[in-house]
Amino acid sequence: MDIDELADALYSAPPADFVATRDEAVKAARERGDKEFATAAARLRRPTRAAWLANLLARRRREQLDGLLGLAGSLADAQRTLDGPALRTLSTRRRQLVSAMAREAGRLAREAHESVNDSLLRELGDILEAALADPVVADEVRSGRLTRTISYSGFGPESDPGAVAARVAAAPPPAPPADPTEDEDAEPAEDPAEVARREREREERRRDLADAEELEAATRERRDAAEAEHERAAQEHEQARERVAALTTELEAAQRHERESATRNREAAQDARAAAREAGTAATRTARARARLDDTESGG
């Protein structure tokens, strides 16, 4: 099994089985001396449950997923050109497909004996919405190896500065210039103060939008930094856990050796005492034999 085959197996299996399967693969690679494989396998991160559902769609319902993500280009075009009717139609279609894909993922999960709830399906919907808004996220989802839950709360693609809103019907032809002698009771020109007020309101809303976009960018940076720190901490924890496992194995081996040594020590001590007793008995027997011999020789 190469690392891609391991990754496919891990990201296809339920998240609860991920860590044990990965750790077993890491252990086996180390035992056979394949450090490169062990390092690569140890870096594979367990997906969130919502990410696992997205991976399930990428692997089991790829055609339908591609159909959903194929709306991204049309949505972006409609947004840039301010094509209101097309945008409304596409947005409705997007919501329908996202909802249908989330339900299908729930059905696939239940087939795999994994429980799902509405909150989890909403998280999956957020991932699919983010994939429609961001091509990078779309590629992550298509890979079938997504590990994180993603949500998108941006303002969509920027509009083309030269674009005009699309209209359903053609605009009416311009009216002929008014005769200054006619309609003396016509409404007066718009109040300049009202025009200035509306312009100030528009400018205030532009600033509010700029502030909101700046805040969103800052929060995204903090989110990315937090995710990077979480990834670093998770990897450090994984390394520490592996070190503890290695030390535990060494300790268990040392404890077995100590018990075996203690047993051998007791047996050797018993053998030494028995040998000492036998040596004492033999010495006594020798002394008696010598004494009898001396008596015989002196009497003779």
Side-chain angles (χ1 to χ4, degrees), residues 118-250:
D118 290 342
S119 176
L120 185 59
L121 295 182
R122 281 194 295 272
E123 289 182 17
L124 172 60
D126 289 342
I127 291 174
L128 297 177
E129 294 281 4
L132 281 166
D134 188 335
V136 174
V137 177
D139 287 342
E140 288 188 62
V141 171
R142 285 191 180 99
S143 74
R145 299 181 185 181
L146 185 69
T147 61
R148 58 197 176 110
T149 299
I150 313 167
S151 60
Y152 181 75
S153 58
F155 296 95
E158 294 183 356
S159 298
D160 185 346
V164 294
R167 294 177 174 82
V168 176
D179 186 341
T181 61
E182 297 179 359
D183 270 347
E184 293 181 355
D185 295 331
E187 293 183 3
E190 191 171 5
D191 184 359
E194 178 63 19
V195 173
R197 185 194 66 77
R198 286 203 299 269
E199 180 58 32
R200 287 195 301 272
E201 183 177 353
R202 282 194 293 270
E203 183 60 29
E204 181 178 352
R205 290 181 179 179
R206 292 190 192 100
R207 288 196 299 269
D208 289 343
L209 175 57
D211 290 344
E213 289 175 336
E214 183 178 355
L215 176 61
E216 182 193 6
T219 56
R220 282 190 175 188
E221 288 180 3
R222 288 197 293 273
R223 180 201 65 191
D224 292 343
E227 287 181 350
E229 175 61 21
H230 176 232
E231 181 69 16
R232 186 200 63 78
Q235 187 172 0
E236 183 177 334
H237 174 243
E238 184 70 19
Q239 292 171 348
R241 197 166 64 85
E242 291 171 359
R243 179 60 177 159
V244 167
L247 291 174
T248 300
T249 300
E250 292 180 14

Side-chain angles (χ1 to χ4, degrees), residues 11-15 47-57 108-109 112 114 146:
Y11 290 110
S12 299
T48 64
R49 286 178 56 76
W52 175 72
L53 288 176
N55 294 338
L56 202 58
L57 291 175
L108 292 173
E114 288 291 311
L146 185 69

Side-chain angles (χ1 to χ4, degrees), residues 73-93:
S74 299
L75 283 165
D77 289 342
Q79 178 69 23
R80 279 192 294 270
T81 60
L82 302 179
D83 189 343
L87 188 58
R88 286 191 292 274
T89 299
L90 288 168
S91 296
T92 299
R93 181 61 175 159

Side-chain angles (χ1 to χ4, degrees), residues 281-297:
T281 301
T284 300
R285 184 180 297 112
T286 300
R288 289 176 179 171
R290 183 176 292 111
R292 287 196 298 270
L293 177 59
D294 291 343
D295 288 345
T296 300
E297 290 178 348

